[in-house]
Amino acid sequence: APRGAPPPLPPGVPGDVEADAPMLLQDGLGDLEEDLREPCSCVAVLLAALLPLLTDALPRDPSGVCIIPHPHSMEKQQATYCVSANGRAAFRTNKICDNCGTRIQDQFFYHCSEGCDIDFCQECH
């Protein structure tokens, strides 16, 4: 080989990729292209690329727990006062917080002002 010329390729390594493309496809190296044509593969690749971008996309409370955003304002509601079976004072709301999933047993809770079925406990509001 002349000085400065690249060394010759080992046997079996294609020299001209464009000319050898049909051979590569026949050898099974073109399967990736076929796989990416499948809708599920494209969705998986798209999700793998986008999910890291969603870090910190939802609002968080001071302790770092994700909170559910709601487009309407929330009104403060007062729970019904009652006495439990053991004689203790309790508050009945028959509501579950849509953020933390616990039963709301506080004197006050928050409900959507537009009538959506969204309730938050005091801690999550």
Side-chain angles (χ1 to χ4, degrees):
R3 269 194 149 182
L9 295 171
V13 175
D16 184 3
V17 175
E18 289 180 9
D20 294 332
M23 180 187 72
L24 291 173
L25 289 175
Q26 290 172 354
D27 289 344
L29 298 176
D31 291 342
L32 177 62
E33 184 177 317
E34 290 175 14
D35 288 346
L36 289 177
R37 288 186 192 139
E38 294 293 323
C40 293
S41 296
C42 291
V43 171
V45 170
L46 184 64
L47 283 175
L50 292 179
L51 283 177
L53 300 176
L54 294 177
T55 303
D56 298 327
L58 290 175
R60 297 181 181 275
D61 69 4
S63 65
V65 175
C66 250
I67 55 174
I68 298 172
H70 188 67
H72 307 128
S73 62
M74 303 295 284
E75 291 181 340
K76 190 175 188 177
Q77 305 267 319
Q78 187 165 2
T80 305
Y81 179 80
C82 64
V83 179
S84 65
N86 61 5
R88 291 185 170 181
F91 297 100
R92 182 184 313 179
T93 63
N94 294 327
K95 305 277 185 188
I96 293 179
C97 177
D98 289 303
N99 189 50
C100 66
T102 59
R103 183 177 302 276
I104 300 175
Q105 297 177 331
D106 300 325
Q107 181 178 3
F108 297 102
F109 65 99
Y110 294 86
H111 183 72
C112 175
S113 63
E114 299 292 321
C116 299
D117 188 20
I118 299 288
D119 303 292
F120 293 139
C121 64
Q122 288 187 57
E123 189 174 332
C124 290
H125 182 263

